[in-house]
């Protein structure tokens, strides 16, 4: 094995939700590690901007990751351009507020479709190639898939479901050589998080977005949000040969947030 090769040298990855945030950062890291990437997402312009910045080993395929026909087209495009698929990064998702008492049927359905159905449909489309090439899946959930964020019933439920889906695929497709792992980010500086921080700043009368991030991470051990590139580095590891014995794992990338015992916060000295 060439010691100087990238972690993903010669691999081909499909990345859903690839136009911004974590998905775009994963695409950049994968290309830097030697992979070719097929970028899927519903908004063509951000996808094309990301692909253009990454060069010949990146291709944008506008697609709804929850639509069978769209994901079949993504798989076909990946095979035609790069020869097949070795990695799926199931990253598509979104969040919106709502409690169990006030979420509408439409909003509930949209949460499940955007966060959970996208993962199922993209995996179902890619699995024949992943089995053939003994590939892997990295699912992007959230610490909201382990705990409950406030007034986010659809998002919390779907992100919990994504972890169960990943474990089911692990169990069923591990004997066929497919590894599946889940990443659970905490606060990450993405456009979606920036919008939430702007709302938090307005709610608390804070001077700016940075003050809101500081408030949101005040009890996180590292006292900061993660950067998209930091999450991408973990995804790249899980997709690489260095994680060849890792499957079924659920790995938090949250600057230590989920290590905190909430009832003991009052005793913190810093």
């Amino acid at each position: 094995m060439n010691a100087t090769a990238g972690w993903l040298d010669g691999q081909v990855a499909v990345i859903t939700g690839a136009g911004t945030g974590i998905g775009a950062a994963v695409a950049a890291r994968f290309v830097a590690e030697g992979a070719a990437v097929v970028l899927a997402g519903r908004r063509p312009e951000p996808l094309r901007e990301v692909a253009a910045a990454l060069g010949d080993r990146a291709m944008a395929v506008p697609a709804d990751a929850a639509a069978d026909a769209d994901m079949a087209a993504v798989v076909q495009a990946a095979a035609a351009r790069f020869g097949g698929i070795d990695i799926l990064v199931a990253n598509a998702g979104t969040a919106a507020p709502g409690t169990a008492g006030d979420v509408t049927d439409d909003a509930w359905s949209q949460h499940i479709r955007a966060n959970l159905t996208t993962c199922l449909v993209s995996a179902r489309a890619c699995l024949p190639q992943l089995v053939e090439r003994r590939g892997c899946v990295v699912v992007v959930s959230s610490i909201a898939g382990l705990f409950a964020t406030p007034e986010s019933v659809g998002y919390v439920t779907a992100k919990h479901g994504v972890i169960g889906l990943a474990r089911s695929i692990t169990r069923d497709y591990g004997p066929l050589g497919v590894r599946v792992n889940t990443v659970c980010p905490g606060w990450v500086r993405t456009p979606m998080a920036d919008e939430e921080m702007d709302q938090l700043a307005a709610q608390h009368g804070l001077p700016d977005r940075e003050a809101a991030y500081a408030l949101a991470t005040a009890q996180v051990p590292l006292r900061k949000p993660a950067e998209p590139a930091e999450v991408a580095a973990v995804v790249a590891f899980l997709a690489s040969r260095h994680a060849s014995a890792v499957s079924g794992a659920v790995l938090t990338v949250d600057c230590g947030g989920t290590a905190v015992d909430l009832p003991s916060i009052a005793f913190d000295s810093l």
Side-chain angles (χ1 to χ4, degrees), residues 5-88:
W7 284 7
L8 304 173
D9 197 43
Q11 302 287 289
V12 180
V14 168
I15 305 168
T16 65
T20 60
I22 291 171
V26 168
R29 181 60 185 257
F30 275 30
V31 170
E33 295 292 348
V37 294
V38 180
L39 312 178
R42 291 182 299 171
R43 295 182 295 156
E45 286 310 313
L47 287 180
R48 289 167 183 153
E49 289 174 7
V50 173
L54 296 178
D56 291 342
R57 283 189 285 120
M59 175 176 60
V61 183
D64 178 353
D68 286 312
D70 283 13
M71 285 309 302
V74 170
V75 170
Q76 184 178 21
R81 174 80 174 267
F82 298 121
I85 301 167
D86 302 286
I87 303 162
L88 166 65

Side-chain angles (χ1 to χ4, degrees), residues 78-178:
R81 174 80 174 267
F82 298 121
I85 301 167
D86 302 286
I87 303 162
L88 166 65
V89 179
N91 172 68
T94 191
T99 70
D102 59 34
V103 66
T104 66
D105 288 347
D106 285 346
W108 173 262
S109 297
Q110 289 168 12
H111 276 108
I112 299 302
R113 190 178 195 278
N115 294 289
L116 182 54
T117 305
T118 53
C119 187
L120 170 64
V121 172
S122 58
R124 189 166 59 200
C126 292
L127 274 166
Q129 284 285 308
L130 298 178
V131 169
E132 180 180 334
R133 296 160 72 102
R134 301 183 73 82
C136 69
V137 180
V138 181
V139 172
V140 180
S141 181
S142 166
I143 60 171
L146 303 171
F147 304 101
T149 52
E151 299 181 359
S152 303
V153 65
Y155 185 73
V156 167
T157 302
K159 288 301 188 182
H160 274 71
V162 161
I163 294 173
L165 174 60
R167 286 173 169 159
S168 183
I169 301 171
T170 301
R171 183 74 183 266
D172 291 339
Y173 285 87
L176 301 177
V178 178

